[in-house]
């Protein structure tokens, strides 16, 4: 079986307006040195999927900057590699084909050219709001074994977890794992199985189902392609059991980040055998812990210079923490400068934020205090 | 068609680094880890790139595997160019016979076709075992301005240390009037940094003459420079001030690592305009545990620190377990320091395992010397490695 990938970089942007004001969901910084798209891309590359189309819609400058020619994911290739798929808008064309798409289904219709020209027999679809490290090889094997048209990758998450919101799709399957229904989350307790929005689709089926749905005037991929065809098509699920988190609000972004301060969670996400998470190389110097600093329970990327106290926090590359500063439960993105004698608690600073000397900022884990990109406080 | 390059760099990376033997048993000296996430050669390569020199020949001979693999296509330094870029130049078999590089000058002599291929007017000769940041473009400008046959970069050293270096005596215009290799009674404090710019035609002439001289040791410092000086060529000294260190001994390697620490490091690495570029693994950010103590340290990606780390430089994927102590040490990477183990005043190569409650070295103030542990060695639980000891896997070496 051969597979090509398709990544939707914008689809859930509206869920975290703070972080997506000037970037795509795909390029939201995460865990000190990554962007959310790194998880989907690494998972594909590690599973041998080396032709990846990235569907972009708007705000994609930061994404293009992050991806470059794809070399950091080993995707700078003459055959395959990264293919950026921006909206193809034809000037003076008033038909639907020339319009900016708004749904997943329309986006797929918009990149039909890419799908048509793939010699691969399977397309792996992924969104960028999920943080996981899926080995797609066994999923592909199951997809082939069951002769499925669609295989949905599912994850079991504890009810009440942020990954489940009112839009969560809960697949209902028979004993063979074949999909019989997709129900909205109805307040179940215990563990809930949800769709990860990572799915494998037989390429010819995808093509035919999307075109058919569009010609019927349907708008939703999940409702009109997956759910409507659940009886005619062979749709199966595959349970993924590694680290899984979904970013659908600033609070869930905060909690997903903080989960990584736990050793076992880091092992589940980052240290799966032969499945490293790749990201853009920045060539930062190592982090320097200056005499007098106190750092505990924190995840720290390279290039930081720490003089103050940092507890239970995540520091991205190039963060500076001044003398006498106390940073607790905070996420400080790339090149944030924290002045001397400041106090930060439950704060998320976006890139290049500057906290002047002596400032005190405090949020709560359910409502983290967010400081916008490049802002000076 | 080849486009001309004004200046090509020839980087001498073939040295065995015998004084670092435990660290260079399997690796050429330029490929020894430095400062946590660099190799020694990264400094020279980064200097080249930042100075606008995009054609670099790396002359290798001794244990080149790790170095070749590390340099690869040159991608981390942007030296994967269509024209030029970085090229590994090993000794080769020619029509008239094959030969190892018999000396630094002979290595360049055997690769004159490389320089001719780019029709370079100037040749920058570098060694791959020094730690410094220098703009070669400025030195080249000085060389062109003076019209010299050769310009040698020099640095001021304390007079009491001058007898360890090649010393240049200059007139007031910086023209070299005398060169003495390791003088007993130095009359100048200008030490050669082993960085030369030659005008190509002159260099070619002297290298060809040197190659047929049976008495010559084919070395730049011993033969080429003195011969050129004796022949009355214009040779200029280019004074450099700033950080420069030859990391040819365990002590200097340890000290240079320590120089990146502190509030105002002697060797700053945080200059965005002059980043030291390197090839490195994609490891997650470092994690500092809840009970960890980290004081004055440089730590990089993939590390997990649960114990105490003081005055130390840690490379990628170092794990320091709870209750362990790492002090005044250089851990090059992929090191495991078990619970309760103590590592003090030491240089630990890649892939070393120090099991629980083992003791390596003594506190710096009491130690007889720096303890060195070579690549892949395992120190068993509870075992002690004496201060100043040098441990490396000889058996594995002999089996090769």
């Amino acid at each position: 079986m051969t597979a090509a990938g398709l990544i939707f970089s914008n689809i859930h942007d509206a869920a975290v307006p703070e972080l997506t004001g000037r970037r795509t969901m795909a390029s939201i910084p995460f865990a000190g040195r990554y962007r959310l798209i790194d998880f989907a891309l690494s998972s594909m590359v590690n599973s041998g999927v080396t032709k990846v189309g990235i569907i972009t819609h708007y705000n994609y400058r930061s994404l293009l900057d992050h991806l470059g020619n794809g070399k950091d994911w080993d995707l700078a290739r003459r055959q395959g590699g990264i293919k950026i798929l921006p909206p193809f808008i034809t000037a003076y064309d008033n038909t639907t084909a020339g319009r900016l798409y708004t749904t997943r289904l329309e986006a797929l219709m918009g990149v039909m050219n890419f799908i048509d020209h793939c010699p691969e027999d399977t397309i792996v679809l992924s969104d960028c709001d999920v943080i996981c490290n899926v080995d797609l090889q066994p999923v592909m094997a199951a997809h082939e074994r069951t002769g499925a048209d669609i295989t949905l990758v599912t994850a079991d998450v504890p009810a009440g977890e942020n990954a489940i919101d009112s839009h969560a799709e809960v697949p209902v399957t028979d004993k063979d794992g074949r999909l019989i229904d997709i129900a909205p989350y109805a307040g179940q307790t215990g563990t809930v199985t949800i769709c990860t929005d990572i799915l494998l689709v037989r390429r010819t089926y995808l093509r035919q189902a999307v075109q058919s749905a569009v010609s019927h005037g349907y708008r939703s991929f999940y409702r009109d392609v997956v759910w409507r065809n659940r009886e005619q098509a062979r749709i199966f699920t595959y349970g993924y059991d590694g680290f899984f988190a979904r970013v659908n609000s600033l609070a869930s972004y905060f909690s997903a980040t903080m989960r990584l301060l736990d050793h076992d969670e880091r092992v589940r996400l980052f240290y799966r055998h032969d499945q490293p998470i790749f990201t853009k190389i920045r060539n930062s110097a190592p982090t320097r812990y200056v005499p007098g600093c106190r750092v505990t329970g924190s995840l720290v990327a390279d290039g930081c210079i720490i003089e103050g106290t940092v507890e239970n926090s995540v520091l991205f590359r190039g963060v500076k923490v001044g003398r006498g500063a106390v940073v607790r439960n905070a996420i400080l993105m790339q090149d944030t400068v924290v002045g001397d004698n400041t106090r930060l608690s439950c704060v998320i600073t976006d890139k290049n934020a500057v906290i002047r000397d002596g400032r005190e900022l405090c949020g709560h884990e359910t409502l983290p205090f967010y400081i916008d990109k490049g802002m000076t406080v | 068609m080849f486009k001309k390059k004004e200046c090509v760099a020839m980087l001498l990376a073939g040295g065995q680094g015998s004084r670092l033997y435990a660290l260079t048993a399997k690796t050429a000296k330029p490929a020894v880890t430095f400062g946590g996430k660099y190799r020694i050669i990264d400094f020279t390569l980064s200097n080249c790139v930042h100075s606008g020199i995009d054609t670099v020949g790396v002359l290798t001979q001794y244990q080149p595997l790790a170095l070749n693999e590390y340099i690869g296509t040159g991608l981390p330094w942007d030296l994967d160019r269509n024209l030029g870029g970085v090229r590994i130049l090993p000794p080769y078999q020619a029509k008239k016979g094959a030969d190892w590089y018999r000396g630094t000058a002979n290595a360049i002599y055997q690769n004159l076709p490389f320089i001719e291929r780019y029709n370079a007017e100037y040749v920058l000769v570098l060694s791959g075992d020094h730690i410094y940041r220098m703009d070669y473009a400025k030195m080249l400008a000085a060389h062109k301005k003076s019209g010299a046959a050769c310009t040698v970069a020099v640095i001021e050293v304390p007079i009491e240390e001058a007898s360890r270096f090649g010393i240049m005596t200059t007139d007031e215009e910086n023209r070299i009037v005398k060169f003495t290799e390791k003088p007993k009674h130095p009359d100048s404090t200008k030490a050669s940094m082993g960085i030369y710019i030659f005008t190509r035609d002159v260099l070619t002439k002297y290298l060809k003459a040197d190659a047929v001289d049976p008495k010559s040791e084919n070395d730049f410092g011993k033969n080429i420079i003195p011969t050129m000086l004796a022949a009355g060529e214009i040779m200029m000294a280019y004074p450099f001030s700033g950080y420069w260190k030859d990391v040819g001994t365990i002590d200097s390697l340890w000290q240079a690592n320590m120089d990146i620490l502190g509030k105002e490091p002697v060797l700053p690495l945080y200059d965005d305009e002059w980043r030291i570029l390197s090839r490195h693994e994609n490891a997650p950010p470092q994690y500092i545990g809840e009970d960890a103590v980290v004081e004055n340290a440089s730590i990089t990606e993939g590390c997990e620190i649960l114990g105490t780390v003081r005055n130390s430089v840690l490379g990628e994927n170092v794990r320091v377990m709870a209750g362990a102590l790492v002090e005044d040490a250089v851990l090059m990477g992929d090191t495991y320091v078990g619970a309760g183990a103590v590592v003090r005043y030491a240089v630990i190569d890649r892939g070393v395992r120090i099991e629980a409650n083992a003791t390596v070295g003594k506190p710096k103030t009491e130690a007889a010397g720096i303890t060195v542990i070579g690549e892949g060695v395992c120190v068993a639980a509870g075992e002690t490695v004496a201060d100043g000891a040098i441990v490396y896997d000889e058996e594995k070496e002999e089996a090769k």
Side-chain angles (χ1 to χ4, degrees):
Chain A
M1 196 183 93
T2 52
L6 258 184
I7 295 177
F8 297 88
S9 69
N10 284 104
I11 267 199
H12 304 279
D13 283 8
V16 202
E18 299 90 343
L19 299 176
T20 54
R22 279 181 226 122
R23 57 167 80 89
T24 60
M25 191 73 173
S27 46
I28 290 181
F30 185 74
R33 62 192 295 268
Y34 303 95
R35 304 278 187 151
L36 291 184
I37 196 171
D38 292 337
F39 297 93
L41 267 182
S42 302
S43 159
M44 288 183 183
V45 171
N46 289 330
S47 310
V49 178
T50 53
K51 180 200 272 183
V52 184
I54 295 164
I55 301 178
T56 57
H57 191 170
Y58 41 72
N59 269 2
Y60 49 77
R61 201 171 59 193
S62 65
L63 180 64
L64 296 187
D65 178 56
H66 180 65
L67 295 173
N69 62 358
K71 70 181 174 190
D72 290 327
W73 297 263
D74 198 16
L75 287 174
R77 304 193 179 204
R78 294 222 193 265
Q79 300 202 329
I82 280 183
K83 300 267 182 284
I84 307 278
L85 305 169
F88 187 79
I89 302 170
T90 314
Y92 317 117
D93 184 353
N94 291 321
T95 65
T96 43
R99 246 180 262 152
L100 195 61
Y101 42 74
T102 52
T103 66
R104 190 189 300 266
L105 191 63
E106 283 173 17
L108 282 170
M109 198 61 208
V111 299
M112 200 46 89
N113 201 30
F114 173 85
I115 297 169
D116 275 346
H117 285 92
C118 282
E120 290 82 3
D121 49 36
T122 306
I123 306 286
V124 183
L125 303 176
S126 181
D127 291 358
C128 288
D129 63 332
V130 289
I131 297 144
C132 51
N133 189 354
V134 185
D135 181 2
L136 293 170
Q137 289 285 354
V139 189
M140 291 187 211
H143 184 71
E144 206 163 25
R145 195 176 57 243
T146 54
D149 295 309
I150 299 177
T151 300
L152 303 166
V153 178
T154 61
D156 291 343
V157 293
E161 178 107 337
N162 278 316
I164 304 176
D165 56 17
S166 50
H167 311 297
E169 285 110 358
V170 181
V172 183
T173 57
D174 67 11
K175 61 178 175 17
D176 300 323
R178 185 164 174 180
L179 185 83
I180 46 179
D181 198 7
I182 294 181
Y185 172 61
Q188 292 96 321
T189 51
T191 306
V192 186
T193 301
I194 59 166
C195 291
T196 60
D197 289 345
I198 296 169
L199 53 148
L200 272 61
V201 191
R202 201 156 52 75
R203 188 177 65 92
T204 47
Y205 180 78
L206 180 67
R207 190 185 141 73
Q208 172 256 315
V210 166
Q211 275 172 342
S212 154
V214 169
S215 62
H216 284 85
Y218 296 151
R219 312 230 339 129
S220 159
F221 179 80
Y222 274 102
R223 193 183 60 228
D224 300 323
V225 172
V226 181
W227 183 77
R228 261 183 217 277
N229 293 326
R230 66 195 181 282
E231 278 164 18
Q232 304 94 298
R234 292 178 65 76
I235 304 175
F236 285 81
T237 60
Y238 179 94
Y240 158 75
D241 59 2
F243 182 97
F244 179 82
R246 170 169 274 149
V247 174
N248 51 17
S249 63
L250 200 60
S252 67
Y253 173 82
F254 188 80
S255 71
T257 303
M258 291 305 169
R259 270 172 68 188
L260 294 173
L261 295 179
D262 181 79
H263 177 261
D264 296 341
E265 297 279 46
R266 277 199 309 283
V267 170
R268 265 154 47 93
L269 182 61
F270 293 123
Y271 295 102
R272 287 174 82 93
H273 185 63
D274 276 346
Q275 286 176 251
I277 305 294
F278 301 103
T279 190
K280 184 183 173 185
I281 302 280
R282 196 185 176 227
N283 274 305
S284 313
T287 283
R288 187 149 48 93
Y289 297 84
V290 173
C293 79
R294 211 181 141 265
V295 181
T296 51
S298 295
L299 201 56
V300 183
D302 271 3
C304 299
I305 300 177
I306 307 175
E307 301 187 50
T309 298
V310 177
E311 289 172 14
N312 204 46
S313 297
V314 175
L315 271 55
F316 283 68
R317 293 184 276 205
V319 168
K320 291 185 178 59
V321 178
R323 227 169 335 112
V326 180
V327 175
R328 283 199 182 98
N329 304 317
I331 299 171
L332 308 179
M333 287 190 203
Q334 195 169 304
D335 297 326
T336 294
V337 178
V338 178
D340 295 346
N341 304 312
T342 51
R343 281 172 181 277
L344 305 183
S345 175
C346 291
V347 168
I348 298 175
T349 62
D350 211 314
K351 280 175 74 178
N352 299 313
V354 177
I355 317 292
R356 290 245 168 90
D357 293 357
R359 301 285 190 266
E360 294 193 17
L361 304 171
C362 182
H364 186 263
E365 46 194 77
T366 54
L367 188 66
F369 192 108
Y370 171 74
I371 294 156
D372 208 348
K373 195 171 170 180
M375 273 216 344
T376 300
V377 181
Chain B
M1 236 250 327
F2 261 76
K3 237 172 83 188
K4 184 181 168 60
K5 299 276 180 191
E6 186 187 33
C7 180
V8 300
M10 299 298 272
L11 210 163
L12 299 160
Q16 193 172 343
S18 46
R19 286 170 301 169
L20 295 177
Y21 65 95
L23 306 175
T24 53
K26 297 169 202 172
T27 314
K29 184 158 73 161
V32 168
T33 304
F34 179 82
K37 67 189 284 189
Y38 309 100
R39 306 293 181 119
I40 294 170
I41 198 173
D42 285 329
F43 285 79
T44 356
L45 283 178
S46 302
N47 286 344
C48 283
V49 175
H50 295 315
S51 307
I53 293 168
D54 65 1
T55 307
V56 185
V58 179
L59 300 131
T60 61
Q61 174 153 296
Y62 172 80
Q63 285 285 5
L65 178 66
L67 185 60
N68 288 356
E69 191 179 57
Y70 185 71
I71 290 174
T73 60
L75 187 144
W77 306 272
D78 270 344
L79 286 173
D80 53 335
R81 299 294 175 88
N82 287 346
L83 178 68
V86 63
R87 290 283 179 274
I88 301 274
L89 303 171
Y92 57 91
Q93 189 164 15
K95 201 176 172 186
K96 284 185 196 157
D99 208 347
W100 292 103
Y101 294 151
R102 288 190 304 265
T104 50
N106 182 255
I108 308 282
Y109 169 74
Q110 291 198 36
N111 286 290
L112 280 175
F114 176 81
I115 298 165
E116 283 155 15
R117 195 170 171 77
Y118 294 100
N119 197 16
E121 280 170 65
Y122 305 100
V123 181
L124 170 65
V125 177
L126 302 165
S127 33
D129 43 14
H130 295 155
I131 302 289
Y132 63 108
R133 300 185 309 160
M134 177 175 174
D135 190 346
Y136 304 134
K138 287 184 184 157
M139 183 174 166
L140 181 61
H143 176 81
K144 286 185 341 198
K145 199 172 161 214
S146 69
C150 172
T151 301
V152 183
V154 295
I155 189 162
E156 290 286 339
V157 293
I159 186 86
E160 59 273 18
E161 284 181 34
S163 55
R164 287 175 39 223
F165 297 91
I167 294 296
M168 303 287 173
T169 313
T170 58
D171 66 13
E172 55 276 20
E173 258 106 53
N174 273 328
R175 183 167 170 175
I176 301 168
V177 293
K178 197 174 108 194
F179 169 71
T180 355
E181 184 74 66
K182 300 196 172 78
K184 286 210 178 78
H185 306 288
D187 56 3
S188 159
T189 51
K190 290 194 174 80
S192 163
M193 298 164 68
I195 302 164
Y196 312 99
I197 292 179
F198 292 94
T199 300
R200 196 243 292 184
D201 298 339
V202 186
L203 177 69
T204 309
K205 188 176 100 188
Y206 282 93
L207 284 180
K208 283 183 174 164
D210 177 73
V212 294
D213 177 1
K215 278 178 277 172
S216 173
E217 288 179 56
N218 311 113
D219 185 86
F220 273 101
K222 285 180 195 143
N223 308 104
I224 301 292
I225 302 293
T227 311
M228 285 177 76
L229 208 52
E233 298 283 356
I234 303 175
M235 308 202 40
M236 301 296 289
Y238 175 79
F240 172 80
S241 58
Y243 189 90
W244 178 80
K245 200 157 206 118
D246 180 340
V247 287
T249 63
I250 295 290
D251 286 278
S252 62
L253 181 67
W254 180 87
Q255 186 56 52
N257 271 285
M258 294 300 138
D259 289 343
I260 71 171
L261 297 177
K263 189 161 163 45
E264 302 290 340
V266 197
L267 168 58
L269 297 173
Y270 293 79
D271 183 351
D272 280 351
E273 303 294 306
W274 207 274
R275 262 182 208 186
I276 306 304
L277 309 167
S278 66
R279 181 188 293 278
H280 58 94
E281 280 179 49
N282 226 320
Q286 54 206 277
Y287 176 74
I288 312 295
E290 285 177 26
D291 301 317
V293 177
V294 177
E295 286 168 8
N296 194 29
S298 169
I299 303 180
T300 187
E301 283 153 1
C303 290
E304 297 253 351
I305 311 301
L306 306 177
T308 301
V309 176
R310 260 190 220 113
N311 307 328
S312 295
V313 175
L314 272 52
E316 287 153 14
N317 302 319
V318 172
R319 282 184 296 157
V320 178
M321 307 313 282
L325 168 67
V326 174
E327 195 175 75
D328 301 310
V330 178
L331 274 53
M332 293 191 175
D334 300 315
T335 320
Y336 173 83
V337 182
V342 177
V343 179
R344 282 182 294 209
Y345 199 41
V347 174
I348 313 289
D349 204 348
R350 287 179 175 256
V352 171
R353 276 189 78 83
I354 298 164
E355 302 285 359
N357 301 314
T359 308
V360 174
K362 273 192 186 162
K364 193 175 162 231
T365 45
E366 302 165 21
I370 298 171
T371 308
V372 183
I373 300 186
E375 189 177 335
V377 170
C378 178
V379 180
E383 206 176 289
T384 300
V385 178
D387 47 322
I390 295 180
V391 182
Y392 70 108
D393 206 333
E394 275 175 273
E395 275 176 29
K396 266 190 205 164
E397 281 319 297
E398 281 160 14
K400 267 189 186 174

